[in-house]
Amino acid sequence: MDLADLVALRKDLHAHPELRFEELRTSDIVAEVLTSLGYRPSRGLAKTGVVASLQGKKPGPSIILRADMDALPIEERGDHAHISRHPGRMHACGHDGHTTMLLGAAAALALDPPECGTVHFVFQPGEEGGAGAKVMLEEGLLEQFPAGRVFGMHNWPGLPIGSMATRKGAIMAGGWRFLVEIKGQGSHAAQPHLGRDALTIGAAFVQEAQLLVSRRSNPLTTAVLSICTFHAGTTDNILPEAATLRGTIRSLDVQELEALKKGMTRLAAGLALAHEVAITVQFHQPYPVTVNTADETELALAAMKQVIGTQGTVVSDMTPSMASEDFGFMLEKRPGALVMLGNGASAPLHAPDYDFDDTIIPQGIAYWVALAHICLRINQDI
Ligand SMILES: [Zn+2]
Ligand SMILES: [Zn+2]
């Protein structure tokens, strides 16, 4: 596959985005390309996952290189030729680029295999809120494709084209989503004393919850508490009986996440008592903190240094992100590292005018190839 093929593939994937666990077309294309390269891809883990394995020249250790495949429920904005053909869906996180670069690496390494061991190319569904990495692990990824080390890569808007970045330790936040349900008593808008107005109590919850971050969290730790939806009421002369709030908490510190959960539960109990309503808080969809291990971060940095020319820099101590990444589930099971590939001045991830920059495809592929060769050298102490 030459670069023109890969760019065409990336644009095609961009034009046909698929949401988590619905990556049927993408999965078919990935499997077809791998088959055309001489691989025998395995399919079905986490429904649409695809895995292909490459043997090195001699027996040895195994590594996983992982890309995600899913898109987001966002209406794309723009007028480029490869704009999403599907209303309300777009590749706003660059997973089209990640998939393309890992296919490119599979093509390059098939022609130039590592000295020893095995490379497992893992094409993962459902990263965006679906914890697809966790599902693949639960369905036997590491039993079917044993690997001693795992590696991931994400494009990074704001990091200049040509640069790559990572860090040892926590690189992306862990988090939970939450649902708060307030059950009061509906009443006439002019007779508030006869009801228990869920909307006003919900507004109090929104305000008070911010105090958990500003007054209870240690300022030197990291904490985000974002309430993202608030639904209550039907019309302008009825005080609503019920209100629901949804949002997320994030931190780089697991204990801080637990403190935020406890604080929200306390707040719900306190407001319920004060205002004689029922308030429940449910936490779901946990993502772990993504933690890079020290030795594997060194291997990743060595690969970056090999592939970055004079145009870019290797950032070895990047500022962690408070966003979350389900690659953290893989890093809970095996040592490894997530790295960032500069996507330049593009719109931010998850923005409606975001696009993956095709000029970074060769660098991403070169990184994967260099990393495989570094990890799977004979005499490598793995
Ligand atoms: Zn994303
Ligand atoms: Zn992403």
Side-chain angles (χ1 to χ4, degrees):
M1 297 178 86
D2 63 18
L3 182 57
D5 295 332
L6 290 163
V7 170
L9 173 64
R10 206 287 298 179
K11 288 187 155 73
D12 177 69
L13 294 175
H14 190 92
H16 300 94
E18 295 173 301
L19 300 181
R20 61 190 185 206
F21 302 121
E22 295 173 2
E23 306 92 341
L24 299 169
R25 179 182 185 275
T26 308
S27 175
D28 282 347
I29 289 171
V30 166
E32 276 166 28
V33 172
L34 289 167
T35 303
S36 75
L37 294 170
Y39 291 92
R40 290 168 48 200
S42 162
R43 305 186 64 180
L45 279 180
K47 192 175 168 192
T48 55
V50 186
V51 184
S53 303
L54 174 72
Q55 305 299 328
K57 293 169 193 158
K58 294 189 171 160
S62 301
I63 60 170
I64 279 176
L65 307 182
R66 168 273 202 178
D68 38 18
M69 301 190 291
D70 56 323
L72 282 153
I74 297 175
E75 184 73 32
E76 183 162 15
R77 193 165 62 213
D79 54 6
H80 51 77
H82 58 284
I83 196 162
S84 172
R85 307 289 190 264
H86 300 275
R89 286 189 241 157
M90 78 170 281
H91 268 296
C93 207
H95 298 183
D96 47 348
H98 302 168
T99 299
T100 302
M101 293 189 294
L102 194 58
L103 285 171
L109 284 164
L111 299 173
D112 177 25
E115 284 183 15
C116 68
T118 306
V119 182
H120 300 301
F121 301 93
V122 173
F123 297 86
Q124 180 214 298
E127 194 286 323
E128 298 288 1
K134 180 164 175 263
V135 179
M136 288 190 93
L137 290 165
E138 287 171 351
E139 294 185 5
L141 176 68
L142 291 171
E143 290 73 30
Q144 292 181 42
F145 306 96
R149 287 168 157 159
V150 295
F151 295 94
M153 173 163 52
H154 207 292
N155 78 96
W156 210 241
L159 183 67
I161 300 276
S163 293
M164 294 185 75
T166 189
R167 75 191 308 274
K168 291 176 188 168
I171 187 167
M172 295 188 78
W176 292 80
R177 310 284 176 99
F178 60 77
L179 167 66
V180 180
E181 291 181 295
I182 301 168
K183 181 82 167 57
Q185 169 67 53
S187 72
H188 196 294
Q191 297 173 314
H193 59 295
L194 299 181
R196 297 280 180 269
D197 173 13
L199 190 152
T200 312
I201 296 163
F205 191 99
V206 172
Q207 294 295 329
E208 296 266 333
Q210 296 310 312
L211 298 179
L212 295 172
V213 175
S214 71
R215 301 294 87 167
R216 294 298 295 260
S217 294
N218 183 336
L220 295 178
T221 187
T222 51
V224 173
L225 191 163
S226 291
I227 294 174
C228 306
T229 73
F230 185 157
H231 292 292
T234 52
T235 187
D236 51 12
N237 64 348
I238 300 171
L239 290 175
E241 174 151 308
T244 59
L245 293 73
R246 292 176 188 274
T248 180
I249 52 174
R250 305 290 169 98
S251 180
L252 296 163
D253 180 328
V254 176
Q255 287 173 346
E256 182 60 37
L257 283 176
E258 288 307 307
L260 288 170
K261 286 169 72 181
K262 282 194 183 127
M264 290 183 68
T265 305
R266 259 195 335 266
L267 175 59
L271 282 174
L273 183 66
H275 300 293
E276 297 183 291
V277 296
I279 307 180
T280 58
V281 187
Q282 293 171 54
F283 296 94
H284 57 102
Q285 216 179 84
Y287 267 34
V289 181
T290 299
V291 182
N292 285 345
T293 48
D295 289 352
E296 286 64 31
T297 308
E298 288 294 343
L299 295 169
L301 286 166
M304 288 181 193
K305 283 170 189 156
Q306 271 190 22
V307 302
I308 289 188
T310 53
Q311 300 298 313
T313 52
V314 175
V315 181
S316 60
D317 59 349
M318 72 169 272
T319 304
S321 167
M322 294 304 289
S324 298
E325 166 55 80
D326 76 356
F327 189 64
F329 287 108
M330 294 202 185
L331 288 170
E332 284 187 328
K333 300 283 185 200
R334 293 290 183 273
L338 175 73
V339 304
M340 308 308 186
L341 176 65
N343 200 50
S346 77
L349 299 173
H350 294 205
D353 47 354
Y354 165 86
D355 197 9
F356 183 87
D357 190 323
D358 289 321
T359 63
I360 68 178
I361 289 175
Q363 189 180 27
I365 294 171
Y367 167 74
W368 282 136
V369 171
L371 181 68
H373 282 292
I374 287 170
C375 290
L376 302 175
R377 276 193 302 241
I378 291 173
N379 300 325
Q380 170 79 30
D381 178 22
I382 300 181

